[in-house]
């Protein structure tokens, strides 16, 4: 259970709590908490306990948190002598194996085609494949060459030179042709082909001429794992290339490429590609490790002897996160050297207590969000005042601490951005001018009364026709952060007098139901910016998450909304292209603030939580890149998901065991 203590201090983005605390105040970036409001907190704890009984302890959501975040995280520091990820000492010369967490389909499903279901996925791609450059937004936007010797990007021309002597794991040369072959394989899998105008390859040099000067194309190109040797994937890459060269058209709305007449051809190539199911242990890889053995519980990764550097870690044992129960047992049984899957607050506290003399914990940024999207085309959430009232009736400062370790309060302005990047892309005075959709029951009442809603004799809200509209809240039932927050929100809305219905579902059914546009509110990850760390990524997400909001668009036509406050048209298609192509800080800020104002007026969602990943290290001899325990890290190596961070450290020899 999360423990709140008198005068507990935490750093949480400058968002003031209301309702859970009887008194709170600011000291710069510190928020000092006084005396828990026991009535409100007890209400949520009842919800928490009932949900824990239903859903188990785990969560598949990403994690996020803040410095010395004892109010939200429970215990962040343990008082033991291990206060940094880096450990002084002589490197161990003994055989060493690092145990981490991965996701994969167990045999016989698992296979080695990264483009097919049950092939290598995000959780271990960085271990077996290399990238042209490693990316980090922290401490500043950085692309560090990996397979590349060097690169330049000027006036829309990306000029890249590979390191000499690169090899695939089977000993064959890794060439520029292999890299471009991989690019072609990503038609329809990456947006980069919307912008690439021309490709030139000569020896170890690759030039990509873009239709844009936006630096965000670097994130697209460098995010692709180099996974497709031409000798294997060339027959499919050539077919994708033919589509790119012969079927692309200019989208008049954005000036970028689209393939409206190539849908059937791309589907045909994809279906043929999905038939290729090689053995995972036999595929050529470009990264530091290859899959040596696979069973139902783990994949053992061994060193790729043809990799360009020799890793200090000889083997990596990737343990499968099968379900919340087995994962909890594995954590408590100390089967991991390092892991960062989402744990419930109770399990997190139990782990900290059990391993208090040796555990180290770090808060690495996930740039991820948990929120509740509104269906803006289904009654009654199609009414802006209803959406605003619901947001004002939700005490997110209460919910964040109990949802999952590492949870910070989301943006109370519902501006579409994470609190951690708001200050980078907007002015303080502008942000303060936006309407506050945070917890305020008086404001919620005014919103509903303004549209003719009243309370009946039982104190319940009825609409202007005397009906009590249902507000259905749908969540994935197996994810604790969704279950806990969903039930807490439902309880709050009911207490406010709304007819809220909580509907947890099995994962596939929940997403299918939400995507159908049948629910009123759905828990999802809208607003995350883990790839670009840029407002474009958040606002462009409406193209995917919009179906859960009941939003549809006609192919070839601009997506235009009417701002419910100003009554002005907002051409979303033109604006998202303008944001992508914005040059310089001021131009980017100007367009971003237009989106923030539009989102604030429209209220597409309730921004509930921003997440940090709570990374727990159990092996006291494992040394990694510098990282002080218990702090929100702003570091090149730690600003990515766990196995990507490990891979970056492997490449720079920053991770090893000491004697």
């Amino acid at each position: 259970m999360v423990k709140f203590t008198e005068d507990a201090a935490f750093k949480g983005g400058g968002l003031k709590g209301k309702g859970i605390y009887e008194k709170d105040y600011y000291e710069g970036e510190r928020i000092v908490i006084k005396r828990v409001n026991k009535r409100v907190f007890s209400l949520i704890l009842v919800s928490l306990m009932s949900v824990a009984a239903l859903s188990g302890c785990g969560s598949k959501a990403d994690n996020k948190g803040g410095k010395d975040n004892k109010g939200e995280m429970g215990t962040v520091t343990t008082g033991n002598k291990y206060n940094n990820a880096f450990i002084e000492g002589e490197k161990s010369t003994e055989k060493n194996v690092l145990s981490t967490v991965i996701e994969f389909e167990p045999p016989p499903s698992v296979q080695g085609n990264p483009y097919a279901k049950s092939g290598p996925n995000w959780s271990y791609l960085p271990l077996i494949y290399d990238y042209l450059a490693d990316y980090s937004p922290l401490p500043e936007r950085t692309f560090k060459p990996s397979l590349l010797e060097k690169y330049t990007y000027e006036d829309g021309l990306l000029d890249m030179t590979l390191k000499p002597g690169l090899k695939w794991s089977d000993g064959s040369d890794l060439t520029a042709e292999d890299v471009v072959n991989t690019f072609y394989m990503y038609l329809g899998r990456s947006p980069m082909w919307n912008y690439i105008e021309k490709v030139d390859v000569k020896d170890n040099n690759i030039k990509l001429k873009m239709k844009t000067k936006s630096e965000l194309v670097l994130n697209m190109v460098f995010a692709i794992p180099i996974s497709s040797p031409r000798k294997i994937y060339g027959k499919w890459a050539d077919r994708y290339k033919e589509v790119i060269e012969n079927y692309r058209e200019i989208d008049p709305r954005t000036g970028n490429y689209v393939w409206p007449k190539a849908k059937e051809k791309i589907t045909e190539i994809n279906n043929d590609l999905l038939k290729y199911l090689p053995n995972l242990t036999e595929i050529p890889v470009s990264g530091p490790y290859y899959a040596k053995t696979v069973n139902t519980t783990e994949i053992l990764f061994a060193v790729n002897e043809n990799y360009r550097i020799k890793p200090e870690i000889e083997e990596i044992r990737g343990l499968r996160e099968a379900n919340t129960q087995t994962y909890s047992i594995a954590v408590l049984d100390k089967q991991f050297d390092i892991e960062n899957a989402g744990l419930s607050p109770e399990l997190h506290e139990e782990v900290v207590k059990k391993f208090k003399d040796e555990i180290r914990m770090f808060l690495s940024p996930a740039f991820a969000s948990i929120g509740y999207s509104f269906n803006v085309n289904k009654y009654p959430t199609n009414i802006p005042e209803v959406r605003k009232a619901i947001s004002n009736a939700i005490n997110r400062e209460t919910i964040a601490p109990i949802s999952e370790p590492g949870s910070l309060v989301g943006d109370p302005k519902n501006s579409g951005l994470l609190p951690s990047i708001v200050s980078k892309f907007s002015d303080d005075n502008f942000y303060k001018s936006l309407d506050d959709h945070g917890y305020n029951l008086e404001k919620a009442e005014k919103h509903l009364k303004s549209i003719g809603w009243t309370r009946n004799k039982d104190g319940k809200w009825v609409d202007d026709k005397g009906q009590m509209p249902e507000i259905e809240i749908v969540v994935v039932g197996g994810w604790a952060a969704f279950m806990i927050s969903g039930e807490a929100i439902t309880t709050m809305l009911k207490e406010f007098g709304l007819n809220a219905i909580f509907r947890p579902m099995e994962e596939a059914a929940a997403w299918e139901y939400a995507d159908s546009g049948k629910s009123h509110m759905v828990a999802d990850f809208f607003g995350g910016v883990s790839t670009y760390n840029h407002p474009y990524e958040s606002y462009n997400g409406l193209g995917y998450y919009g179906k859960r909001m009941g939003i549809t668009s006609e192919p070839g036509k601009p997506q235009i909304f009417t701002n419910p406050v100003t009554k002005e048209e907002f051409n979303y298609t033109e604006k998202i292209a303008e944001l992508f192509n914005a040059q310089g800080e001021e131009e980017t800020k100007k367009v971003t603030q237009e989106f923030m104002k539009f989102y604030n007026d429209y209220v597409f969602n309730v921004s509930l939580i921003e997440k940090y990943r709570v990374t727990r290290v159990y092996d006291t001899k494992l040394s990694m890149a510098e990282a002080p325990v218990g702090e929100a890290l702003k570091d090149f190596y730690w600003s990515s998901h766990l196995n990507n961070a490990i891979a970056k450290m492997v490449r720079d020899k920053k991770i090893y065991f000491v004697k």
Side-chain angles (χ1 to χ4, degrees):
M1 187 63 63
V2 176
K3 298 178 178 63
F4 287 81
T5 57
E6 184 109 345
D7 293 338
F10 64 97
K11 183 178 180 181
L15 300 176
K16 186 177 182 180
K18 297 177 181 177
I20 188 169
Y21 308 118
E22 294 176 358
K23 180 180 179 183
D24 50 15
Y25 58 90
Y26 294 97
E27 288 182 359
E29 286 189 301
R30 288 165 54 87
I31 302 177
V32 181
I33 306 164
K34 292 284 190 178
R35 297 187 302 278
V36 178
N37 182 323
K38 294 179 181 178
R39 188 195 69 79
V40 178
F41 193 58
S42 296
L43 170 70
I44 304 303
L45 289 183
V46 171
S47 172
L48 172 62
M49 289 185 286
S50 63
V51 172
L54 289 171
S55 64
C57 297
S59 169
K60 292 191 177 183
D62 288 336
N63 297 312
K64 200 155 190 171
K67 181 178 179 181
D68 266 359
N69 204 345
K70 294 175 184 172
E72 292 174 327
M73 274 220 25
T75 307
V76 181
T77 56
T78 58
N80 64 42
K81 63 181 180 179
Y82 303 104
N83 58 12
N84 201 297
F86 173 75
I87 295 179
E88 291 277 1
E90 185 180 351
K91 293 179 182 178
S92 174
T93 56
E94 300 175 0
K95 180 179 174 67
N96 50 72
V97 180
L98 174 70
S99 295
T100 183
V101 58
I102 63 172
E103 290 184 12
F104 67 95
E105 292 288 331
S109 297
V110 66
Q111 49 79 35
N113 179 352
Y115 307 105
K117 186 179 178 181
S118 74
N121 61 34
W122 64 272
S123 74
Y124 65 97
L125 279 172
L127 301 178
I128 64 174
Y129 294 122
D130 206 346
Y131 299 77
L132 294 175
D134 285 321
Y135 167 66
S136 175
L138 300 172
E140 59 188 16
R141 191 169 189 261
T142 303
F143 294 98
K144 185 175 182 179
S146 188
L147 289 176
L148 291 181
E149 181 74 22
K150 60 182 179 179
Y151 79 91
T152 60
Y153 182 64
E154 296 177 1
D155 295 324
L157 178 64
L158 178 55
D159 190 340
M160 303 175 285
T161 301
L162 291 177
K163 284 182 168 71
L166 296 174
K167 302 284 185 182
W168 293 98
S169 57
D170 63 1
S172 61
D173 291 339
L174 194 166
T175 68
E177 292 287 352
D178 291 322
V179 173
V180 174
N181 195 79
T182 301
F183 289 168
Y184 287 131
M185 296 296 295
Y186 271 78
L187 175 62
R189 298 180 172 92
S190 165
M192 71 177 187
W193 284 109
N194 294 354
Y195 308 99
I196 297 176
E197 186 173 12
K198 186 179 179 183
V199 180
D200 285 320
V201 184
K202 185 177 180 181
D203 300 326
N204 266 15
N205 181 260
I206 305 166
K207 290 184 175 66
L208 301 180
K209 182 69 177 78
M210 303 291 182
K211 288 188 67 63
T212 177
K213 294 181 181 179
S214 173
E215 290 198 350
L216 294 181
V217 297
L218 296 178
N219 295 78
M220 296 177 183
V221 174
F222 294 155
I224 293 176
I226 305 307
S227 55
S228 307
R230 180 157 180 76
K231 63 185 178 183
I232 296 175
Y233 291 92
K235 60 182 180 180
W236 294 291
D238 286 345
R239 294 166 66 185
Y240 287 123
K241 180 182 178 182
E242 181 187 0
V243 172
I244 289 168
E245 293 179 343
N246 298 316
Y247 287 85
R248 65 184 180 181
E249 301 175 13
I250 296 293
D251 186 343
R253 303 172 302 169
T254 63
N256 303 322
Y257 291 117
V258 289
W259 290 264
K261 298 177 182 177
K263 190 172 183 180
E264 289 185 8
K265 279 196 168 289
I266 294 174
T267 300
E268 179 183 320
I269 303 169
N270 290 344
N271 289 339
D272 187 43
L273 175 61
L274 297 182
K275 297 174 185 176
Y276 177 59
L277 303 174
N279 191 311
L280 177 62
T281 62
E282 297 173 0
I283 59 172
V285 297
S286 60
Y289 300 95
Y290 72 96
K292 183 179 179 180
T293 60
V294 184
N295 60 39
T296 56
T297 59
E298 67 178 55
I299 299 178
L300 185 64
F301 300 95
V303 168
N304 169 10
E305 298 295 342
N306 288 302
Y307 191 54
R308 57 186 176 79
I309 61 106
K310 181 174 175 57
E312 304 286 353
I313 302 292
E314 293 183 4
E315 291 181 338
I316 291 183
R317 180 175 173 239
L319 292 166
R320 176 170 167 256
E321 185 185 359
N323 56 56
T324 56
Q325 183 177 4
T326 57
Y327 189 79
S328 302
I329 293 171
V331 168
L332 292 171
D333 198 33
K334 203 179 177 182
Q335 293 186 33
F336 296 100
D337 296 316
I338 182 171
E339 55 83 22
N340 73 341
L343 302 182
S344 68
E346 316 98 301
L347 181 57
H348 171 78
E349 290 296 315
E350 187 176 349
V351 167
V352 171
K353 183 178 180 180
K354 182 172 183 177
F355 303 114
K356 61 183 176 61
D357 294 329
E358 57 210 51
I359 195 170
R360 289 171 284 166
M361 288 180 289
F362 313 96
L363 302 176
S364 44
F367 299 103
S369 172
I370 291 180
Y372 282 75
S373 294
F374 288 115
N375 189 329
V376 299
N377 280 318
K378 183 174 183 178
Y379 185 77
T381 51
N382 64 325
I383 304 172
E385 288 78 9
V386 172
R387 301 196 295 270
K388 292 176 182 180
I390 289 172
S391 186
N392 286 139
I394 294 172
N395 191 333
R396 60 195 89 193
E397 289 86 352
T398 301
I399 298 173
I402 64 170
S403 295
E404 187 175 284
S407 298
L408 288 185
V409 178
D411 176 23
K413 308 282 189 173
N414 295 333
S415 69
L417 295 185
L418 297 176
S420 63
I421 71 168
V422 162
S423 61
K424 183 178 180 181
F425 293 99
S426 71
D427 295 320
D428 287 345
N429 288 337
F430 168 80
Y431 182 74
K432 290 175 183 177
S433 73
L434 298 177
D435 192 13
D436 192 334
H437 301 303
Y439 184 61
N440 188 323
L441 295 182
E442 182 180 344
K443 200 171 184 179
E445 292 238 4
K446 288 181 179 179
H447 283 310
L448 293 183
K449 288 179 179 178
S450 72
I451 56 172
W453 286 36
T454 56
R455 290 187 184 272
N456 63 17
K457 60 183 178 62
D458 298 319
K460 306 301 181 183
W461 286 102
V462 295
D463 63 15
D464 55 352
K465 296 180 178 60
Q467 303 299 313
M468 189 183 299
E470 179 181 284
I471 298 169
E472 182 185 55
I473 301 170
V474 173
V475 306
V476 175
W479 296 6
F482 281 6
M483 286 289 289
I484 292 170
S485 62
E487 189 160 354
I489 285 173
T490 306
T491 301
M492 289 175 179
L493 296 185
K494 284 182 175 180
E495 279 217 330
F496 177 60
L498 290 170
N499 183 22
I501 308 296
F502 181 56
R503 194 148 290 162
M505 298 181 178
E506 182 272 336
E507 182 177 347
W511 295 134
E512 182 180 358
Y513 188 76
D515 290 346
S516 72
K518 295 178 181 177
S519 63
H520 293 98
M521 296 174 66
V522 57
D524 60 27
F525 306 108
F526 177 77
V529 290
S530 58
T531 301
Y532 303 94
N533 309 107
H534 188 280
Y536 168 80
E537 183 174 6
S538 179
Y539 297 126
N540 194 49
L542 193 69
Y544 174 77
Y545 291 102
K547 54 193 172 184
R548 296 171 190 173
M549 304 173 187
I551 297 171
T552 58
S553 59
E554 295 184 51
K557 293 187 177 181
Q559 192 171 43
I560 299 174
F561 295 87
T562 298
N563 186 310
V565 176
T566 66
K567 308 305 179 185
E568 296 174 350
E569 283 192 346
F570 189 89
N571 190 320
Y572 207 97
T573 304
E574 287 184 358
K575 283 296 174 186
I576 201 69
E578 188 178 339
L579 183 58
F580 181 84
N581 291 302
Q583 299 293 300
E585 183 177 325
E586 288 307 311
E587 186 178 344
T588 301
K589 185 178 289 186
K590 174 183 176 297
V591 185
T592 298
Q593 291 184 165
E594 291 180 42
F595 270 101
M596 292 175 71
K597 170 62 176 170
F598 172 64
Y599 267 67
N600 179 252
D601 289 344
Y602 211 94
V603 190
F604 286 101
N605 76 319
V606 176
S607 177
L608 189 67
I609 291 167
E610 181 176 357
K611 306 291 291 176
Y612 266 60
R613 296 183 183 93
V614 182
T615 301
R616 291 165 287 265
V617 181
Y618 304 91
D619 194 305
T620 58
K621 295 184 178 181
L622 179 62
S623 182
M624 294 163 287
E626 288 272 356
V629 300
E631 293 190 12
L633 303 178
K634 296 182 179 180
D635 180 86
F636 173 82
Y637 295 101
W638 291 92
S639 56
S640 51
H641 73 76
L642 179 58
N643 291 331
N644 192 27
I646 289 173
K648 287 198 286 188
M649 293 182 210
V650 165
R651 284 191 273 277
D652 287 349
K653 294 184 175 289
K654 295 282 188 180
I655 184 167
Y656 49 83
F657 289 95
V658 299
K659 289 185 177 180

